[in-house]
Amino acid sequence: MIRLVRSLLLLLLCSSTLKAQQFNSRNGYIGFFSSTPLEDIKAENKQVYVIIDTDKKQLAFTCLVKGFLFKKELMQQHFNENYVESDKYPKASFSGSYTGDVTTNKNGTYVIQVKGDLTLHGVTKTITAPASLVVNGQTLTGKSSFQLNPADFNIAIPALVKDKIAKQIDVRVEVVCNPK
């Protein structure tokens, strides 16, 4: 009986230790910004699902493209209908890994390099970006900023508005995750 209890306790300890190495959130943030002399365009999506596995140094994000909100309703409509065709390509996703050591039981800021496959508008491209993971108690916060070129994802910009949209779009990612 004592062996059985010890075995169960050991199993519980091992499974909770393994489980504590995965962090997730359903309300991550991805925002993008385009600035030209003619117009600034900003959109935010606060319904990004993320999972980070610190044991395997892997991470994945996914969001509905229609979740990006703009200040101007017409911009949002053009974005969904004319550019990213969100009815045809409803999700954007990223799956990859990171380099650098993160100690989840030690508070601090850890600088990492993220590399993986971003799928947007039916096109998958490998991207690499600097990022940071901040450990604060049981919370893991991730942040990254990088640039994307819409043309790399076969997003056609009509000639009529090409001067209003930057060739390089600034993207910002911020996620606050808890142990899974």
Side-chain angles (χ1 to χ4, degrees):
M1 182 68 163
I2 293 177
R3 284 186 185 173
L4 178 63
V5 171
R6 283 185 189 163
S7 296
L8 286 173
L9 284 174
L10 184 60
L11 182 62
L12 285 172
L13 285 173
C14 288
S15 66
S16 67
T17 301
L18 291 174
K19 207 172 192 183
Q21 300 308 312
Q22 288 189 353
F23 295 81
N24 71 344
S25 175
R26 293 190 181 278
N27 56 2
Y29 169 91
I30 297 177
F32 66 83
F33 183 72
S34 164
S35 182
T36 67
L38 297 177
E39 191 162 32
D40 289 342
I41 300 169
K42 180 180 179 182
E44 298 178 324
N45 188 330
K46 296 178 181 178
Q47 298 176 342
V48 179
Y49 180 75
V50 59
I51 187 161
I52 301 173
D53 186 324
T54 56
D55 276 343
K56 296 178 182 175
K57 296 185 177 185
Q58 295 178 337
L59 59 154
F61 295 76
T62 189
C63 69
L64 292 175
V65 177
K66 282 188 177 180
F68 283 97
L69 302 177
F70 295 72
K71 285 186 179 180
K72 296 180 182 177
E73 189 176 323
L74 188 58
M75 281 185 183
Q76 189 164 328
Q77 182 180 349
H78 287 174
F79 172 78
N80 284 299
E81 293 175 5
N82 303 337
Y83 305 131
V84 295
E85 302 173 278
S86 58
D87 285 338
K88 188 175 180 180
Y89 308 105
K91 291 184 180 180
S93 63
F94 176 85
S95 179
S97 60
Y98 65 87
T99 59
D101 293 324
V102 177
T103 306
T104 57
N105 60 0
K106 182 179 177 190
N107 287 351
T109 299
Y110 301 88
V111 178
I112 60 173
Q113 189 76 11
V114 175
K115 182 178 182 178
D117 293 329
L118 174 65
T119 301
L120 173 65
H121 195 244
V123 176
T124 301
K125 295 282 184 184
T126 299
I127 63 165
T128 302
S132 67
L133 289 176
V134 177
V135 176
N136 186 6
Q138 293 292 309
T139 304
L140 184 65
T141 302
K143 294 182 181 184
S144 182
S145 295
F146 54 94
Q147 292 187 324
L148 292 180
N149 182 343
D152 290 343
F153 294 90
N154 294 337
I155 298 172
I157 308 298
L160 184 63
V161 295
K162 74 176 180 72
D163 293 334
K164 292 183 177 185
I165 300 173
K167 292 188 185 341
Q168 293 289 319
I169 307 295
D170 295 323
V171 179
R172 192 178 63 164
V173 178
E174 292 182 18
V175 297
V176 178
C177 302
N178 294 304
K180 186 175 177 185

